[in-house]
Amino acid sequence: MKLLKINNSDEKIEVGKLVCVGRNYAKHAEEMGNEIPEFPLIFLKPSSSLIHANESIIKPRNSGELHHEVELVLFIGKNIKNADEVLAEQAIYGYAVGLDMTLRDIQSELKKKGHPWTLAKVFDTSAVISDITLKKDYLLQGNEKIELSVNNEVKQSSTLDFMLFNAVQIVVYLSSKFTLERGDLIFTGTPEGVGAVNVGDEIFAAIQNIGKLKVKVE
Ligand code: MG
């Protein structure tokens, strides 16, 4: 059982499902040669893929191209189904900065075959999150800076207002398809600038006023 780490809270909340949004920044969709989606593009990671910032990303041996993707993560605090915008906002209890680590070479092969991306996204340590900042401590404005650097070199730098679907729109959409439960985490997509990391690299990621994380690749 994995527990979430929450700033200024002793509550023990078990990690639920990890729901991820793909292609949620136009320039990232472009850099990957993809069209801008009409609806959020959704995939899942198992909770077993999640690590916290003080752990290490273990690069799988079956891939030569492990990519970083920095993302805003939403922490769902109560169960919802078919939520409207008001309920969706109420169900978001907090935020974190996260990494959706991706085996890009394997994803490209799977996409070519028309197969699901699952095997490119689910390996152990493929999801990283910072401690969660609760909404009572900081309310998201939607224009915060989001940034990632590798070995002190900035690779991704954008602001959250470039998201094609914002936090509430994503939660409304997801809850129209399946129940969101307390402990679920939603990775909301990455801005442009994704790229490869290798064993020994150190990744630093931050979202203004939300959180930061540092993690090594082993
Ligand atoms: Mg992603």
Side-chain angles (χ1 to χ4, degrees):
M1 177 174 96
K2 238 173 221 172
L3 295 175
L4 293 168
K5 294 185 180 175
I6 303 173
N7 289 321
N8 303 324
S9 168
D10 300 325
E11 265 196 279
K12 304 250 180 290
I13 299 173
E14 201 177 331
V15 177
K17 55 189 170 291
L18 313 184
V19 185
C20 304
V21 180
R23 302 176 193 168
N24 200 25
Y25 290 75
K27 284 186 184 167
H28 172 61
E30 249 171 55
E31 75 181 345
M32 301 304 299
N34 295 315
E35 287 187 4
I36 291 165
E38 202 176 324
F39 299 99
L41 182 89
I42 305 302
F43 62 94
L44 298 173
K45 287 180 185 253
S47 57
S48 53
S49 66
L50 188 74
I51 58 168
H52 289 103
N54 53 346
E55 297 171 69
S56 295
I57 295 167
I58 310 295
K59 188 182 178 201
R61 290 182 182 177
N62 65 336
S63 167
E65 207 181 6
L66 172 60
H67 270 202
H68 55 75
E69 296 189 357
V70 62
E71 312 200 355
L72 168 71
V73 178
L74 310 176
F75 160 49
I76 298 298
K78 67 176 181 187
N79 297 8
I80 48 165
K81 171 85 180 159
N82 293 321
D84 60 13
E85 294 203 349
V86 175
L87 253 181
E89 182 65 67
Q90 286 170 1
I92 303 169
Y93 276 32
Y95 322 95
V97 55
L99 302 178
D100 164 22
M101 299 303 293
T102 302
L103 306 177
R104 194 70 73 200
D105 48 351
I106 292 183
Q107 186 190 33
S108 301
E109 275 170 39
L110 293 166
K111 273 161 77 177
K112 252 186 252 162
K113 290 180 187 159
H115 291 178
W117 303 350
T118 305
L119 292 177
K121 292 285 193 178
V122 295
F123 64 92
D124 292 353
T125 76
S126 64
V128 187
I129 56 161
S130 68
D131 292 359
I132 289 165
T133 293
L134 291 175
K135 211 190 242 175
K136 67 175 175 60
D137 293 325
Y138 181 75
L139 187 62
L140 192 75
Q141 301 300 301
N143 59 358
E144 287 81 356
K145 267 194 222 158
I146 179 168
E147 209 167 69
L148 177 142
S149 50
V150 179
N151 304 330
N152 295 318
E153 195 181 319
V154 177
K155 300 288 188 184
Q156 295 186 269
S157 181
S158 188
T159 54
L160 297 180
D161 46 356
F162 282 104
M163 286 167 66
L164 297 170
F165 301 98
N166 68 28
V168 166
Q169 289 169 329
I170 290 168
V171 171
V172 167
Y173 180 77
L174 291 174
S175 83
S176 76
K177 302 296 181 189
F178 51 87
T179 299
L180 290 172
E181 297 166 293
R182 180 172 169 81
D184 287 353
L185 298 173
I186 301 171
F187 286 66
T188 59
T190 197
E192 69 278 11
V194 301
V197 289
N198 289 299
V199 173
D201 285 347
E202 196 165 66
I203 301 172
F204 177 78
I207 299 176
Q208 187 184 11
N209 299 325
I210 300 292
K212 51 190 168 189
L213 65 84
K214 203 190 251 185
V215 70
K216 260 198 127 166
V217 182
E218 287 182 7

